[in-house]
Amino acid sequence: MTTSTPRPPADPAGPVVRTASGAVRGRHEQGLSVFRGIPFAEPPVGEARFAAPRPRRAWDGVREAYAFGPPPPQEPGFVQGRTVPAAPAGDDWLTVNIWTPEPGPAARRPVMVWIYGGAYRLGHGGSPGYDASRLAHDGDLVVVTFNYRVGMEGFAHIEGAPANRGLLDQVAALEWVRDNITAFGGDPGQVTVFGESAGAGSVAALLAMDRAAGLFHRAIAQSVPGTYFSDALARDIGTALAAEAGLRPTVAELSAVDPAKLTAVGQSLGARMIQYADRWGQAAPTATPYAPVVDGDVLPVTPWQALAAGAARDVDLLTGHNRDEFRLFLALAGRLGRITEEQATAALRMYAPGPDGERAYRAAFPGASASDLCERVQTDWLFAMPTLRLAEAQTAGGGRAHLYELTWPAPGENGALGACHGLDIPLLFGTFEADLGLLLFAGAEPTDEARRLSAAFRAAWTAFARTGDPGWPAYDTGTRPVRVLDAEPTVAPYPEEVSRRLWDGHDFAPLPLL
């Protein structure tokens, strides 16, 4: 069920800022100046469909920046069964939103630019869960969110189109920030990118991309997924995606399909990906046919390879993961606590590293239930070990990284979800009543303990954006100091040492076509 989106009331006294494309008028909200829906590129439709983003043409007069722009075409979200506002219509998918304490070139505050997650197939910068009011206010800095293309539009391999169009959109948004943020009170020389899940995978990719060099100075990657496709795998999946619509994977044929209707091919293929396990290997059970492609051009190598070679040694990195990442996906699939021994064995054989991975996991976690083993190996493969390895690669390449692990359990479902994937979002933004916060906090008023941890998140993240120091020691492979985010945050050696040893030496290479 949806409700129509009310048009925000005009604010004739709202702040006016001139961008390179024209003037925009924002609104005064809770001690901040807020600008929504400012285009940073031309709509990627018509002749621009499946192309790299193009600079925005100028407009005359003052453009109202009161409402978020329309989300890019995408599949339905994960959290169902609630009333949500209807998305605004239109093709202006590529827009930015800004929360600033004080517009004007004299302020020169640090800037944080958020990149949303959503398995590279859904999400938008105007999601209520990403309301940046608390972050901008508590940190006294400028926060930017923006839209980038997802799914078929942004990440499918299409003949005649550049790979990784969603990543190219992100670069274009960061170029817009570089060229315009001073007028909104931000310092283009002090930009931090931060993102979660697919957003963290995007941050990691940006660290490896020549096109993004110099556009940001610090990076925060929350729950980095290890899934990057090889070019061969991306081509094969792209062919299968187009076949769902009875077409070939070419710009000419796919451009004839309405973008809103093309989202259905990802849904239909995602539901059947397990049938391709003999070709797509570890990618098949994920039910996600999209990921950044290591194409040798836009993304030349994997983030781990690039960072270990020193590609981001001048960028401060803050990264971490949640203890029970995969538990959310088991819960959403109705499988939490219902994993059979056969299913656990299949997961261990699919994801545990090395030819003897299943036996090694069972020996390392004696007495673990089938559900625990299934969850642990997929948490490790998909998020925990790729995140840890990113910090290790950064230090190996001569850079600095700070590592954290969130262990505080979500109160929803009577605590059964643990410190699951996505819990860091409502804690960071303080949006307990929106999006995943509704599930993870069960719609209840957050406790004082939750509010303290939420404030600690914002204090650490904004301190890092301002100084490069979140408040605990940098990671090293000797003592392995990690900020453990719980009811009482502490610093301790990396908590998942058993898993770390199991994965020691594993190469997170691009997922291959078998």
Side-chain angles (χ1 to χ4, degrees), residues 207-411:
L207 287 165
M209 291 168 56
D210 292 339
R211 288 172 172 83
L215 294 176
F216 56 92
H217 313 87
R218 298 185 178 108
I220 303 175
Q222 304 167 211
S223 303
V224 181
T227 47
Y228 295 80
F229 290 168
S230 67
D231 190 67
L233 178 62
R235 287 177 183 273
D236 207 58
I237 294 177
T239 298
L241 284 164
E244 292 290 312
L247 301 171
R248 294 181 301 165
T250 66
V251 169
E253 294 198 18
L254 292 173
S255 291
V257 183
D258 185 296
K261 295 180 179 178
L262 199 56
T263 60
V265 304
Q267 286 178 267
S268 58
L269 180 63
R272 298 187 297 101
M273 281 180 65
I274 193 63
Q275 300 173 12
Y276 293 82
D278 60 333
R279 294 178 61 80
W280 300 346
Q282 292 176 325
T286 67
T288 302
Y290 309 111
V293 182
V294 181
D295 65 325
D297 177 20
V298 176
L299 183 57
V301 295
T302 65
W304 303 277
Q305 186 177 347
L307 266 61
R313 64 165 59 95
D314 296 328
V315 179
D316 296 324
L317 175 64
L318 168 59
T319 190
H321 61 81
N322 305 346
R323 183 186 57 201
D324 311 307
E325 295 272 8
F326 202 75
R327 199 173 297 182
L328 173 69
F329 303 105
L330 293 176
L332 292 175
R335 299 172 61 204
L336 190 60
R338 299 180 180 180
I339 300 298
T340 65
E341 279 294 336
E342 292 77 13
Q343 290 170 326
T345 296
L348 288 167
R349 290 177 178 174
M350 174 65 75
Y351 295 115
D356 200 25
E358 179 196 356
R359 185 205 62 78
Y361 254 84
R362 291 186 182 278
F365 296 98
S369 68
S371 286
D372 289 342
L373 286 169
C374 181
E375 177 194 320
R376 185 71 254 166
V377 72
Q378 291 188 84
T379 287
D380 288 345
W381 173 77
L382 187 55
F383 295 113
M385 296 303 107
T387 300
L388 171 65
R389 192 60 51 80
L390 195 73
E392 292 178 340
Q394 175 71 341
T395 58
R400 185 174 65 171
H402 295 264
L403 188 64
Y404 73 87
E405 182 178 31
L406 173 61
T407 57
W408 186 81

